[in-house]
Amino acid sequence: MIVTADYDTLAAQLDGRMDFEDLPATAEPGVILDKVYRVPGAALAEHFAGQSVSIRHLPEAWGGGRHDELSHADLRAPLALRSGTAGQSLTVAQHRGFGSGAVFPVGPNGAQARSGRGEGALALLFDSDQQAVGLRIHADYADPLGGRPPPGVATVQFHARDGTRLGIEALTLGHGVASFGFVVQGAGAGIAAITIHNTDPGGIAIDDIVFALAPLTG
């Protein structure tokens, strides 16, 4: 079972991090990632082999945008990351909400369009099974005049190494940055993979993904 946990506590305990600071600090649309992005212990792309990516059209009350949506099903083993169409997978750019580089999952409108950055899907694969992971998500900026639709939901799915889905979380987003932690409770498989898609009208950005590096052997 996957349960929520305090992000700051996990970030202090875990020694693996994906924060995108190894990429050039550029303004949007940023560095477009059409191939798998890797850091020690983890890798990132749009989806997994065998996983369907469809287009969800949001109602006008939710902004009327087009978002990627990933299938709610077990994955196929062995787990293999896949990028989408060129310019429609991921992009990394300086983000004023985080104050640093962050990844934008790119939706159907593409990385060159503001309406495409943040509306896509994202898939994470860890080198070793994880008992705890955390990440930070930025949704829409503050809207003091109340003229925009409210922030949406980020759907996070957790999978074992054999592709079995371990759990799913529907994260209600707010204005600005929110931090989320997750731990495996009880016996059973650890987290090998995570997928994320969202219905936020303004799209999301993700930063500071924390996890455990594989223990050294010798």
Side-chain angles (χ1 to χ4, degrees):
M1 176 185 297
I2 308 296
V3 299
T4 57
D6 181 68
Y7 173 87
D8 291 333
T9 299
L10 295 182
Q13 296 172 346
L14 301 173
D15 56 352
R17 181 177 293 264
M18 185 180 287
D19 59 11
F20 311 101
E21 296 308 302
D22 59 323
L23 295 174
T26 59
E28 296 182 40
V31 179
I32 296 173
L33 303 177
D34 287 330
K35 296 181 179 180
V36 175
Y37 170 76
R38 167 165 282 282
V39 299
L44 185 69
E46 183 194 61
H47 64 281
F48 285 96
Q51 187 174 40
S52 65
V53 183
S54 58
I55 297 176
R56 177 172 182 175
H57 296 263
L58 299 189
E60 288 301 321
W62 295 3
R66 301 195 305 158
H67 287 241
D68 286 343
E69 185 170 57
L70 297 175
S71 56
H72 292 187
D74 291 347
L75 299 179
R76 178 188 303 167
L79 300 176
L81 288 168
R82 295 288 184 264
S83 296
T85 303
Q88 292 187 354
S89 287
L90 307 169
T91 186
V92 172
Q94 288 297 109
H95 190 281
R96 64 185 176 91
F98 286 114
S100 62
V103 64
F104 297 76
V106 177
N109 292 350
Q112 298 299 332
R114 178 64 192 90
S115 60
R117 296 190 292 272
E119 282 78 3
L122 177 150
L124 270 164
L125 180 61
F126 300 106
D127 292 357
S128 59
D129 293 353
Q130 301 294 312
Q131 296 301 306
V133 297
L135 51 84
R136 302 170 73 213
I137 300 177
H138 184 282
D140 204 1
Y141 291 96
D143 182 24
L145 300 180
R148 296 196 301 270
V153 171
T155 300
V156 184
Q157 300 182 77
F158 305 89
H159 294 267
R161 189 72 51 185
D162 66 359
T164 302
R165 195 174 76 183
L166 301 173
I168 183 169
E169 292 282 343
L171 306 178
T172 301
L173 303 173
H175 294 293
V177 175
S179 301
F180 302 96
F182 309 96
V183 298
V184 178
Q185 187 176 71
I191 300 167
I194 295 175
T195 63
I196 303 173
H197 61 265
N198 77 94
T199 58
D200 188 72
I204 64 171
I206 298 174
D207 199 8
D208 299 320
I209 301 165
V210 294
F211 55 95
L213 294 172
L216 295 175
T217 60

